[in-house]
Every structure is written in structure tokens, then in C-alpha cells.
Amino acid sequence: MKFKRKKTALVLSIIMVILLLPMEASAFNQKESNALLPQEDYTYGENMFITETRSSPPDMYIGTPYQESSMDGFVEYTDNDGSRYMMRVRHIKLQQIDVGPIVNSTHVISVPRGMTYSTSETKTIQKSYTSSWNVGANFGINLIKWLDIKVNTQYTSTNSETTTFAVQQGQSYTFPSGVDPSYNIAHFYIGFVHDKYEVVADIVRRVTKQVSTEVYGIEIDDEPRATATVYLADGRVIYMRAELIPLRIIDNYYIEYITEYDYENMETEYGTLLSPKPITYLLLNNLAAK
């Protein structure tokens, strides 16, 4: 464990951060807890920015992930201008744990060396998850709003939208052992860091395509008016006015235009979700410093 020190009178010179374990084991169900973990391999700067993070376990997701090649999970969406899309949140995948800076920081108690103090009141802090998107120029704000709703639904299926952390009245804090003797008071704080998730969304747009189907045969009936019966290679039988044959059949192919969802040109957009994680940390200083 590394510490940065600044030898200036009355300046807080050591920042040690102790992460809290959730009461529940699930990485996606972080609740209130007062359990303490060792600092391990974390390093914190003087302004309480986390400068190192541990690698996260692989393949941890919020909600149901989908394979890129699959067509599962798509839902049709109609924009305000009438445009229709098929969209899904492909996955929300854990990238990093314990990402700083510390936010919503609140002082809990100050404890002199060799002492144990208990809190005289309950301290409570709250933090909601946040999401953001890095999207292309042709990606409308209404599509982002729709995806935000889907991300919220997926996130809250396993988490509370807002994480609450409380230190109850009567909670005991002891000046830590093994501290440099030049420091004689420990200030305990609570706050939040975040677990960072990659969000991947897929969008499929509707396109109009020209389709050519080989013609197997044509029959023309002159009565009561010139009507053509066209037999296509895919088994369809098309009826049309005979006068339209030069416009609809070219080089023995029946030409038509169809509108469909173009899954072959699926667009992929990327975002970030930050899930709050409560922590307890302390600052040490020497009140007698000059």
C-alpha cells in the first residue's frame, strides 16, 4: 500500500481508504454495510482521487446479455417522426471496480490516538447510478431516451436505483493501529466510489430495398381486359395488368421494392454506467503540528 505525504503544518497528509463489503454477496446488490476491508493494493492521492483500480472479474453482467450475432432481445420502437427501429441493450458488462473520485463525502467522527469513540447521531448518504452515451452523429436524442429507459429497467432488476449508506448512532470507531506516531488523530469519513460498466446497444433501421426474383412464366388473358399472371421462382404467383409488364419485369426478373429491418447493417452504440459503491476512509493528522 502506498501513501503520499505532504509535510505542511495542519495539512492532512495521509489518505487511507478502506472499502466496505456489501451485506449481500451479489456484485449487483450493494446494500448498507459497516464491515471493513483492508486497503490492499489501492493508492489514493491527496485530493482523494483513486489513482489505481483492481481488475474486475470477467463476464459479470447486469441483466441478460445477448450474443452479437443473435436476434434476441430486440424491441420495436417508433420515433416521434414516425421512423421505426428495432433496438436492444446487448449487455451491461462490468469493466472496473472501485473507480474514483470519492463523491458525496461526509465526516462521521474524529478519534484521538489510543481511543475508541461512538457516533452520537446517524449519518446517511445517498447516490444514484449514472449512465452516459458516446453515440454517432445520426443518433437522435429520442433513441437515447429510449435506451436510458431500457438501461434503467435492466439495472433496477438487480439493484436499487439509489444506493443508501448509513452509519447508525452508537457505531464505534477506533484509532487504527500501526500508524506513524507523528499522527495523533483519525478523521473517519463515508462516501461513494463506483463500479464501471460498459453498455452496448444495437440499433436496426428500416430500409427500402430493390428485390429481383426470376420469372418462370407469364400468361396473358385478354378477356375481359389484358391481365398477366406471372409465375416466380420462389413459388409466388403475381397478377398485374399486362401493360405493366415492361415496368415490372426486366431481363426476365420481377422487380419489386420492399421495406424491412436491415439486420445485416446493425449499428452498435456504446455507453458507460457507474454504479455507486459505499466506502469508509480516514484522514490522519497531528493537531500539535506547528
Side-chain angles (χ1 to χ4, degrees), residues 10-23:
L10 295 178
V11 174
L12 299 179
S13 59
I14 298 180
I15 299 180
M16 300 190 299
V17 180
I18 306 172
L19 296 177
L20 293 172
L21 275 177
M23 292 181 70

Side-chain angles (χ1 to χ4, degrees), residues 258-273:
I258 61 174
T259 300
E260 63 183 6
Y261 285 108
D262 185 12
Y263 283 92
E264 292 183 357
N265 293 302
M266 180 176 71
E267 301 172 26
T268 301
E269 304 293 346
Y270 296 89
T272 298
L273 183 148

Side-chain angles (χ1 to χ4, degrees), residues 4 18 25-26 36 39-40 50 53 62-63 65 90 103 106 116 123 142 156 189 196-197 200 215 276:
K4 294 184 179 180
I18 306 172
S26 169
L36 299 181
Q39 297 176 55
E40 297 181 345
I50 298 179
T53 57
I62 295 178
R90 188 196 306 171
V103 295
T106 299
T116 295
K123 296 288 183 74
N142 289 330
T156 56
Y189 289 79
K196 180 180 179 181
Y197 292 83
V200 176
V215 176

Side-chain angles (χ1 to χ4, degrees), residues 64-75 86-90 202 263 266:
T64 302
Y66 300 104
Q67 295 295 322
E68 179 179 2
S69 58
S70 79
M71 297 177 63
D72 298 331
F74 281 98
V75 176
M86 295 296 291
M87 299 200 296
R88 71 178 177 186
V89 175
R90 188 196 306 171
D202 297 317
Y263 283 92
M266 180 176 71

Side-chain angles (χ1 to χ4, degrees), residues 31-50:
K31 306 295 183 182
E32 299 175 13
S33 172
N34 289 323
L36 299 181
L37 277 178
Q39 297 176 55
E40 297 181 345
D41 57 352
Y42 294 92
T43 301
Y44 295 83
E46 293 176 353
N47 294 319
M48 294 183 293
F49 278 70
I50 298 179

